[in-house]
Amino acid sequence: MIADPQVEQYAHEHTTAEPAHLGAVAAETISTLDNPGMMVGLLEGRLLEMLAFATQARRILEIGAFSGYSALAMAAGMPSGGTITTCEIDPRHADATRRNIAASPYAGCIEVRLGDALETLDGLEGPFDLVFIDADKRNYLSYYEAALRLVAATGLIVVDNTLWSGRVLDENSADVDTAALRAFNDHVRADPRVICVQLTVRDGVTIIRRAG
């Protein structure tokens, strides 16, 4: 979290509350899975929903499902007939995601692909209207390159955790994930193929589109 906790709480209180099925996902995630802070939560979930709605994304790709909260949030913004493909390497997380999807109003439109995401991405055909990256930080550059191949010309790539609780400011950090995120942020900012904006929502969210 980047914002002052009181500001964050105010934002929560002035954001439309999550529907019951997402509240159930959040409660189960907190009670049953390690590192529940990996879940995007209300503010970022609503942001993802808004982006899906604004782009009228009919095909969405997610890299990193965790417990399914983010996929279900995006599903709420899709037009009728839209689909989501979500990639997850951890069998326990994939099982939780499948259970949560099955109990939601979107059981028929979200597919969970279990396995190494880069291998899964190699077998996918675009275009996807929206790509959300929220997986292991060390592979962010590889996920980004795959996303650029798969995203539609007018689509968006959305990347989570790009401020890393402010740790990206430490140029001398020996932490591998921090270094990977710094390298990713610098690469995207300098990439002439894209236009990007980094938001201070939650742990940092970067939104990317093709240039030109």
Side-chain angles (χ1 to χ4, degrees):
M1 184 187 301
I2 300 298
D4 180 283
Q6 291 182 313
V7 174
E8 184 93 359
Q9 182 60 36
Y10 185 89
H12 270 262
E13 292 169 357
H14 291 82
T15 296
T16 302
E18 62 199 357
H21 68 272
L22 277 183
V25 172
E28 180 182 339
T29 301
I30 291 167
S31 64
T32 64
L33 294 181
D34 295 334
N35 301 313
M38 291 167 54
M39 180 177 62
V40 297
L42 173 63
L43 290 180
E44 192 173 349
R46 284 296 188 192
L47 173 63
L48 291 170
E49 177 189 346
M50 291 291 186
L51 292 173
F53 180 82
T55 59
Q56 286 294 282
R58 300 192 65 85
R59 294 189 74 205
I60 296 176
L61 172 63
E62 178 178 56
I63 304 169
F66 192 42
S67 61
Y69 191 107
S70 48
L72 289 168
M74 290 186 287
M78 291 192 308
S80 177
T83 61
I84 297 176
T85 300
T86 183
C87 307
E88 179 54 56
I89 195 170
D90 187 314
R92 187 181 180 199
H93 295 168
D95 287 345
T97 296
R98 289 190 177 109
R99 287 195 307 273
N100 291 328
I101 290 169
S104 79
Y106 306 104
C109 62
I110 305 174
E111 176 192 15
V112 181
R113 297 281 192 99
L114 176 62
D116 183 281
L118 291 174
E119 295 178 6
T120 300
L121 296 173
D122 281 343
L124 294 178
E125 294 292 333
F128 288 91
D129 305 301
L130 181 63
V131 181
F132 180 48
I133 301 174
D134 185 15
D136 58 298
K137 312 314 168 193
R138 302 175 196 191
N139 276 315
Y140 261 29
L141 281 173
S142 297
Y143 297 144
Y144 169 70
E145 291 299 329
L148 277 178
R149 175 179 67 83
L150 293 167
V151 74
T154 56
L156 296 178
I157 301 170
V158 183
V159 188
D160 198 16
N161 303 120
T162 56
L163 289 176
W164 207 226
S165 298
R167 293 191 293 274
V168 290
L169 298 177
D170 184 359
E171 297 181 7
N172 299 313
S173 174
D175 177 69
V176 175
D177 289 336
T178 301
L181 284 166
R182 285 179 53 82
F184 171 80
N185 291 336
D186 290 344
H187 178 83
V188 172
R189 172 61 181 83
D191 190 343
R193 298 172 294 175
V194 302
I195 304 294
C196 67
V197 58
Q198 190 172 58
L199 307 179
T200 54
V201 174
R202 204 161 179 265
D203 199 25
V205 176
T206 297
I207 302 175
I208 304 162
R209 69 167 176 88
R210 294 184 188 276

